Amino acid sequence: MAVTASMVKELREKTGAGMMDCKKALTEVDGDMEKAIDLLREKGIAKAAKKADRVAAEGLTVVKAQGNKAVIVEVNSETDFVAKNENFQKLVQDLAEHVLTQTPASVEEAMGQPFKGEGETVQEFINSSIAKIGEKISLRRFELVEKTDADVFGEYLHMGGRIGVLSVVQNSTDAELAKDIAMHVAAINPTYVSRDEVAQEEVEREREVLKQQALNEGKPENIVEKMVEGRLSKYFEQVCLLDQPFVKDGDQKVGKYVKNKGASVKSFIRYEVGEGMEKREDNFAEEVMSQVKK
């Protein structure tokens, strides 16, 4: 399989490795992106990747709760300047309220609904706001969450809505605890609540990468397995909320902190404005040409 500049660019963004290292890795594994990531990690060139896409688009996230229902919403604008505009901020709140009360199943369904149940559609409401504000605005995504009377929602917005988190804590009415969990998620960005949620296939893949790393470091075979298990615990600490040192008290893990309060974490949703979207292209072609000329 031919290795293209766009493939090299994608691998760089996912691993932080240099361009020539990425090109060599992709060539070696015949263009398989996942194998290339593993190869770079085994060689110690790339960090353990969460594969977070670059964040480039502007806008806001918001979390809104009402009774046993809550919603987290992301609305995008073209510039940070507009994201700070009061009219735009009101629009984001209005769209969150619409989703919470009208419960659409998708963005597409939401756009066709009468705004807040009456009159113009959500699409028409957004279009009229675009005319006033002067920038393209889009309802990018949302997630509706329900809880029981025995649970509590945690809401946290960082940097005015640059990052938004909605958490659900079970067997508790402690809103401050739930907010603390949401704040931790905003700061540390775990992928899962607990180890149970990590697919066995992912664990085995990680174990194999760690084993190869240890062997490449020249460690004796008889101690490699023990090393791998130790490093695997570190991996779980990176990706699993309950395994992480609590951001407000580094001496105890989140799981222990919550358990001591007689509660448990059911779920969390974390939105970061623009994740996975690119607003502009860095001049990658120029960088490629400069490498070719060397």
Side-chain angles (χ1 to χ4, degrees):
M1 182 179 177
V3 175
T4 65
S6 64
M7 289 165 68
V8 175
K9 179 171 183 282
E10 184 183 345
L11 185 57
R12 286 185 71 213
E13 287 169 2
K14 288 182 173 181
T15 63
M19 192 178 72
M20 297 312 291
D21 287 324
C22 289
K23 188 176 179 184
K24 281 179 194 169
L26 282 164
T27 303
E28 197 171 322
V29 298
D30 198 28
D32 187 309
M33 189 63 65
E34 296 301 315
K35 285 183 181 175
I37 290 168
D38 288 349
L39 183 62
L40 287 171
R41 289 187 57 207
E42 286 165 12
K43 290 180 177 179
I45 294 168
K47 293 176 183 174
K50 279 189 179 178
K51 297 179 221 169
D53 293 319
R54 287 170 55 202
V55 178
E58 302 300 338
L60 288 175
T61 64
V62 71
V63 180
K64 201 175 265 289
Q66 191 174 69
N68 282 345
K69 281 196 307 185
V71 68
I72 182 168
V73 173
E74 178 185 350
V75 181
N76 294 129
S77 62
E78 291 180 66
T79 65
D80 183 46
F81 180 75
V82 161
K84 293 172 181 173
N85 177 297
E86 280 183 21
N87 291 328
F88 179 77
Q89 291 171 0
K90 184 176 184 309
L91 173 136
V92 175
Q93 292 287 343
D94 284 341
L95 288 173
E97 190 177 320
H98 171 89
V99 173
L100 190 58
T101 56
Q102 306 303 310
T103 62
S106 65
V107 169
E108 291 71 28
E109 185 181 327
M111 298 305 268
Q113 289 179 324
F115 180 57
K116 294 187 181 178
E118 54 188 57
E120 64 182 351
T121 64
V122 169
Q123 181 70 72
E124 288 165 345
F125 169 70
I126 290 174
N127 288 346
S128 63
S129 298
I130 290 171
K132 285 180 205 163
I133 293 170
E135 270 194 20
K136 181 183 174 184
I137 294 164
S138 59
L139 171 59
R140 184 187 179 199
R141 54 181 173 164
F142 62 81
E143 196 152 345
L144 282 156
V145 178
E146 292 193 20
K147 70 172 185 67
T148 70
D149 289 338
D151 307 332
V152 62
F153 287 128
E155 306 167 33
Y156 184 76
L157 298 179
H158 182 64
M159 292 174 66
R162 187 80 197 168
I163 297 171
V165 179
L166 170 60
S167 65
V168 181
V169 173
Q170 291 178 304
N171 305 319
S172 178
T173 56
D174 188 343
E176 197 60 36
L177 168 64
K179 184 181 178 181
D180 281 347
I181 296 304
M183 182 178 69
H184 175 99
V185 170
I188 309 300
N189 194 14
T191 307
Y192 308 100
V193 172
S194 67
R195 297 185 184 200
D196 298 340
E197 294 181 4
V198 187
Q200 193 56 37
E201 184 184 325
E202 187 176 335
V203 174
E204 289 308 317
R205 180 183 158 194
E206 189 65 24
R207 184 178 272 115
E208 186 56 35
V209 168
L210 293 171
K211 182 178 177 182
Q212 288 305 317
Q213 279 180 352
L215 291 171
N216 290 346
E217 288 166 11
K219 305 295 183 194
E221 187 101 37
N222 62 330
I223 67 161
V224 163
E225 287 304 320
K226 197 175 284 187
M227 284 182 64
V228 166
E229 291 311 310
R231 290 180 179 183
L232 201 56
S233 289
K234 278 286 180 193
Y235 165 73
F236 284 126
E237 195 173 289
Q238 287 176 348
V239 300
C240 299
L241 171 66
L242 301 184
D243 281 274
Q244 295 174 339
F246 183 39
V247 75
K248 288 180 79 172
D249 178 5
D251 291 335
Q252 62 179 324
K253 300 286 178 79
V254 172
K256 186 181 176 188
Y257 177 76
V258 174
K259 190 177 180 182
N260 287 345
K261 301 266 187 179
S264 62
V265 180
K266 183 179 181 183
S267 65
F268 66 80
I269 302 158
R270 182 187 189 275
Y271 280 179
E272 186 164 346
V273 170
E275 58 195 342
M277 299 170 71
E278 286 191 49
K279 187 169 60 178
R280 67 175 192 279
E281 288 284 323
D282 290 332
N283 203 327
F284 190 66
E286 279 186 14
E287 187 181 346
V288 171
M289 289 311 295
S290 71
Q291 290 287 340
V292 169
K293 288 172 184 173
K294 283 182 181 176

